[in-house]
Amino acid sequence: MSTMQELGFIGVGRMGIHMAGRLLEAGYGVTVFDLNETNVARLVQRGAKRAASPAEVASTATTVLASLPTPDIVKKVAADVATGSTVKTFIDLSTTGPVAAKEVAAVLAAKGIAAVDAPVSGGPSGAEKGTVAVMVACPKDLAETLRPIVEVIGKMFWVGAEPGQGQAMKLVNNILSATAVAMTSEALAMGAKAGLDADTMIAVINAGSGRNTATEDKFPRCVLTRRFDFGFSVGLMHKDAKLAVQFAESLGVPMIVGNAVNQLLSITESIEGFDGDLTATARTVEKWAGVEIKGRAAK
């Protein structure tokens, strides 16, 4: 890996700031753009260069990565990137859904730019540690060429050659993750109202067949402590769940449980706001149940 290689990175929010930071630490030159000037400044202090637009980023690096919040923003940024003079490869780490991924790939292909559909999973802490799963969809030879870059960010999984296949894999993952949070909220609220101790419930569940990502990490760290600070917004997870439900429906796959999860996230977002923490989903259930899921240390 050459320390002289220049990369571009667009979108340095909760996930992107850590991924861009890891690339800097690995020795890559990184030019960044984001509307969040505070995060851009933090990366500039660590050696990144600042760009005034996505097009400027795409005129400084042959490989540009993006980590953005919504499909519409990704499409807008990709159109701007397509006007850059240097970019040859666009790696989209965002969650947009398969339809948007295919639209982005078509826009870029018209300019001779390869689109790499590469959403990630693992949350901000995983992005910081470099342990996220990166679900790469593009021709396999291109994926192998990009492996040194991708594996600075996390563990690379090649899931297919077509744009949209990475997004399909991400939606499979995220609807399961969202369901774990939703169902754990309801189950623990039920137990708490029946008089069970929250810490004991978590210990029993994690020693038994009910354990999941919410019981192993999110609830002990963020709900039982009453911190509600996992770092991933309920608005973004609601977006992901809605994309999953819509995609499943387009394939003729029933989403009975998925629809219910999507509804609970929608209600939580309306209460907590788009930037409310995902783990505040438990608070929505608590209000209806008239109980708190509180660990002994928080009492």
Side-chain angles (χ1 to χ4, degrees):
M1 181 180 68
S2 170
T3 58
M4 299 303 292
Q5 185 174 357
E6 289 292 324
L7 301 175
F9 206 108
I10 302 168
V12 291
R14 291 176 178 176
M15 297 288 288
I17 189 171
H18 297 305
M19 293 187 283
R22 291 191 61 81
L23 291 167
L24 283 168
E25 289 172 2
Y28 287 100
V30 183
T31 299
V32 299
F33 171 78
D34 197 296
L35 298 178
N36 184 329
E37 177 55 31
T38 299
N39 283 5
V40 170
R42 287 170 62 187
L43 289 168
V44 168
Q45 288 176 347
R46 295 170 63 182
K49 302 179 188 71
R50 179 190 279 105
S53 69
E56 185 177 332
V57 173
S59 294
T60 64
T62 56
T63 300
V64 174
L65 302 93
S67 178
L68 299 161
T70 68
D72 286 345
I73 293 174
V74 171
K75 287 189 279 189
K76 182 178 179 181
V77 165
D80 202 15
V81 164
T83 68
S85 61
T86 305
V87 62
K88 297 298 181 186
T89 305
F90 180 74
I91 304 175
D92 187 16
L93 306 165
S94 321
T95 303
T96 63
V99 174
K102 291 174 183 177
E103 291 174 0
V104 165
V107 168
L108 295 172
K111 297 290 187 178
I113 302 166
V116 180
D117 174 20
V120 302
S121 178
S125 63
E128 185 174 12
K129 296 172 187 173
T131 58
V132 294
V134 190
M135 299 157 247
V136 173
C138 67
K140 196 163 188 180
D141 57 346
L142 176 57
E144 290 305 319
T145 298
L146 296 172
R147 184 180 289 275
I149 295 170
V150 172
E151 291 198 335
V152 171
I153 292 169
K155 184 174 182 180
M156 187 177 104
F157 294 87
W158 183 75
V159 299
E162 299 299 320
Q165 289 182 302
Q167 293 298 323
M169 184 67 248
K170 178 63 184 292
L171 296 184
V172 168
N173 179 84
N174 273 28
I175 195 65
L176 286 170
S177 178
T179 300
V181 171
M183 198 62 240
T184 300
S185 297
E186 294 183 353
L188 291 190
M190 176 180 70
K193 196 146 192 184
L196 297 176
D197 175 75
D199 293 292
T200 300
M201 283 193 285
I202 286 291
V204 171
I205 292 165
N206 286 338
S209 60
R211 68 185 178 277
N212 58 68
T213 55
T215 62
E216 289 182 329
D217 176 36
K218 298 180 183 74
F219 273 65
R221 184 157 57 90
C222 307
V223 177
L224 271 64
T225 59
R226 314 307 292 169
R227 286 163 43 188
F228 301 102
D229 60 351
F230 176 63
F232 190 78
S233 81
V234 68
L236 286 176
M237 186 60 92
H238 175 217
K239 179 260 296 183
D240 294 354
K242 184 161 57 174
L243 285 170
V245 169
Q246 291 170 344
F247 184 54
E249 288 176 350
S250 76
L251 297 174
V253 176
M255 270 279 172
I256 298 165
V257 176
N259 269 296
V261 171
N262 186 45
Q263 277 191 313
L264 180 55
L265 292 171
S266 177
I267 293 166
T268 302
E269 182 184 351
S270 71
I271 295 169
E272 302 285 340
F274 185 93
D275 291 326
D277 197 83
L278 171 61
T279 57
T281 304
R283 213 153 43 192
T284 300
V285 177
E286 288 176 339
K287 288 173 183 174
W288 291 338
V291 70
E292 277 193 338
I293 305 165
K294 183 185 290 188
R296 289 187 293 271
K299 294 177 181 177

